[in-house]
Each structure stands twice: as structure tokens, then as C-alpha cells.
Amino acid sequence: METRETELMLKGYGLTTAEMTYHMPDYTHVLNTFVWQEYDLAPDHPRLFEFIEYWQREIEGPLHSVRFTHRKMISPGEWRNVKGVLHLH
């Protein structure tokens, strides 16, 4: 059974988005982009690095660069204790 996204987020996973810039196989001076998105664990990012290894092994277009960002979707809420109220006018 596949793990649902909410279950992954409760286990500490966050959404990782990677933009891969790669050389076109037939036109090596032309760059193209591919966007990959998956739930992954920071700071090691095992799924991202597994995908990069797959790309290097199976896909003809060599990678030029990879940019990625990671965001935890479920985190502790912001709370602050208000000790007073200031009324203007």
C-alpha cells in the first residue's frame, strides 16, 4: 500500500522541488529544463539524489545544473503571548 502525502508529512517529509537544467542530446549547446517534485527528507534528500543518479545512468541528456528547494508543509504554528493591547484614536 502506498503512503499518503499527509502520512509522509507527519513523518517529517517535506515537499522538494528541483529544477534540472540539462544539455539536449542531439544539440549539445542547447539547454532545456525539467522540474521534478516529490516528498523527501531534509537535509539528506535521499529521493532527490536517487533521481539524479537515475538521470545520469539512464537519460541521454547530461545535467548542466540542479537547483532545488525544500519546504516542510506541516510545522509548529506561530504563537505569541500578547500582554497588552494598544488602542490608537
Side-chain angles (χ1 to χ4, degrees):
M1 185 169 125
E2 199 169 310
T3 307
R4 293 182 171 231
E5 295 169 354
T6 306
E7 293 172 1
L8 288 173
M9 287 187 275
L10 291 173
K11 291 179 182 177
Y13 284 75
L15 190 61
T16 300
T17 305
E19 178 188 43
M20 289 142 182
T21 305
Y22 63 96
H23 295 275
M24 297 290 290
D26 295 335
Y27 305 97
T28 56
H29 297 293
V30 177
L31 294 174
N32 201 0
T33 59
F34 176 79
V35 176
W36 175 88
Q37 202 170 44
E38 184 71 44
Y39 286 95
D40 206 356
L41 284 170
D44 296 331
H45 300 287
R47 290 186 178 181
L48 173 61
F49 288 113
E50 181 181 312
F51 182 75
I52 290 172
E53 289 171 1
Y54 167 79
W55 184 291
Q56 292 172 336
R57 190 177 59 247
E58 301 291 333
I59 301 195
E60 292 181 22
L63 287 172
H64 175 269
S65 60
V66 177
R67 294 186 322 161
F68 70 94
T69 184
H70 179 84
R71 168 103 167 117
K72 279 194 144 189
M73 306 301 279
I74 296 178
S75 61
E78 291 185 17
W79 182 84
R80 56 188 178 137
N81 187 12
V82 178
K83 294 187 178 188
V85 178
L86 177 62
H87 294 282
L88 295 174
H89 303 283

